[in-house]
Amino acid sequence: AMRTALLTLVAVKTQAQPRWRQRNRTNHTVHIQRVTLTVNGLDAADIAIHVLATAHHQPFRVPHHRAGTYDWFVDRLYGSAATWGAQFPELTYVFGGNGKLERDAAERGHETPEGFLSCHVVERGRDWTRSVCGTFAILRFANCTNDYYGSKGPCCRNQESMRWVLNYRPHIKWYLFQDDDMYIRGPALVALLSRYDPDRAMSISG
């Protein structure tokens, strides 16, 4: 039986103007290489990591003339998926149902510094859509919004993502929900969870 592990990790600041601002416009298609990870008998594939993602091109709380703009897909989704996220096959970014930026990325893909990363829809439910972008997935819930705060935004997406894992990924042993500016040390996380019995009800936070 799957148990919930709710972890609060250390936030990593996002660069306002990364050096790859001039995007690669070639026809090269990028592929993220999967990295296998098993510690003490627990495989990283047994951990569903769902990330509260927000598609914006202007940072919050910082005047535009100081912060500039940033590419949310590259800085938040691709940046995580191409580093620590490559170790977790069940890495999923969670969005609400509204928003053109989210829909375009989930249904077609997005440019990255290394080339174009293709995404395509692979599953549909009554109120959700799941897309795959190489080594990670995007879940969009029609009954939730992409608001930065509030019950219909992050709270709704957290609830629906947990319900989705329970219904559609019953083999998963651990569930983790986090923000998109968190960095995970994969071996340390898997080693920590390997010490506990997934059949015992428990929640971990920090």
Side-chain angles (χ1 to χ4, degrees):
M2 183 205 69
R3 302 305 177 192
T4 60
L6 307 178
L7 306 185
T8 302
L9 306 175
V10 178
V12 177
K13 293 183 178 179
T14 303
Q15 292 181 345
Q17 292 181 313
R19 60 186 178 182
W20 52 74
R21 182 54 49 221
Q22 298 300 320
R23 294 181 184 171
N24 181 349
R25 294 297 181 183
T26 69
N27 292 324
H28 176 65
T29 300
V30 65
H31 298 280
I32 301 173
Q33 184 175 356
R34 172 72 66 202
V35 178
T36 58
L37 175 61
T38 302
V39 181
N40 298 330
L42 178 64
D43 195 290
D46 294 326
I47 306 170
I49 299 183
H50 281 212
V51 181
L52 179 68
T54 305
H56 289 282
H57 286 271
Q58 295 185 14
F60 285 93
R61 308 185 192 91
V62 181
H64 176 67
H65 68 277
R66 287 173 48 202
T69 60
Y70 71 99
D71 187 317
W72 65 278
F73 189 98
V74 171
D75 291 9
R76 297 301 180 95
L77 277 68
Y78 179 74
S80 298
T83 53
W84 63 263
Q87 304 169 107
F88 295 92
E90 290 293 335
L91 173 65
T92 302
Y93 296 91
V94 183
F95 290 102
N98 62 321
K100 185 177 185 302
L101 292 175
E102 298 89 338
R103 184 179 65 252
D104 288 349
E107 296 181 356
R108 291 196 290 270
H110 197 83
E111 200 72 44
T112 77
E114 285 75 37
F116 190 81
L117 181 63
S118 177
C119 302
H120 56 281
V121 176
V122 294
E123 294 178 85
R124 293 183 186 274
R126 184 175 60 86
D127 55 4
W128 59 269
T129 302
R130 181 175 179 267
S131 302
V132 168
C133 308
T135 57
F136 66 90
I138 294 176
L139 264 177
R140 290 177 295 148
F141 292 101
N143 57 323
C144 302
T145 70
N146 288 302
D147 294 342
Y148 202 67
Y149 302 105
S151 60
K152 291 298 291 181
C155 296
C156 178
R157 282 182 276 162
N158 183 190
Q159 172 182 287
E160 292 302 323
S161 105
M162 185 182 296
R163 180 179 293 147
W164 187 90
V165 171
L166 287 168
N167 289 333
Y168 298 100
R169 293 295 185 271
H171 64 279
I172 289 296
K173 295 179 179 179
W174 298 95
Y175 167 87
L176 186 153
F177 193 81
Q178 65 171 66
D179 282 336
D180 60 4
D181 59 355
M182 304 297 180
Y183 187 92
I184 289 180
R185 293 176 57 198
L189 174 64
V190 180
L192 170 67
L193 295 178
S194 72
R195 296 161 51 190
Y196 300 101
D197 181 358
D199 290 327
R200 292 187 59 190
M202 65 181 300
S203 175
I204 303 174
S205 62

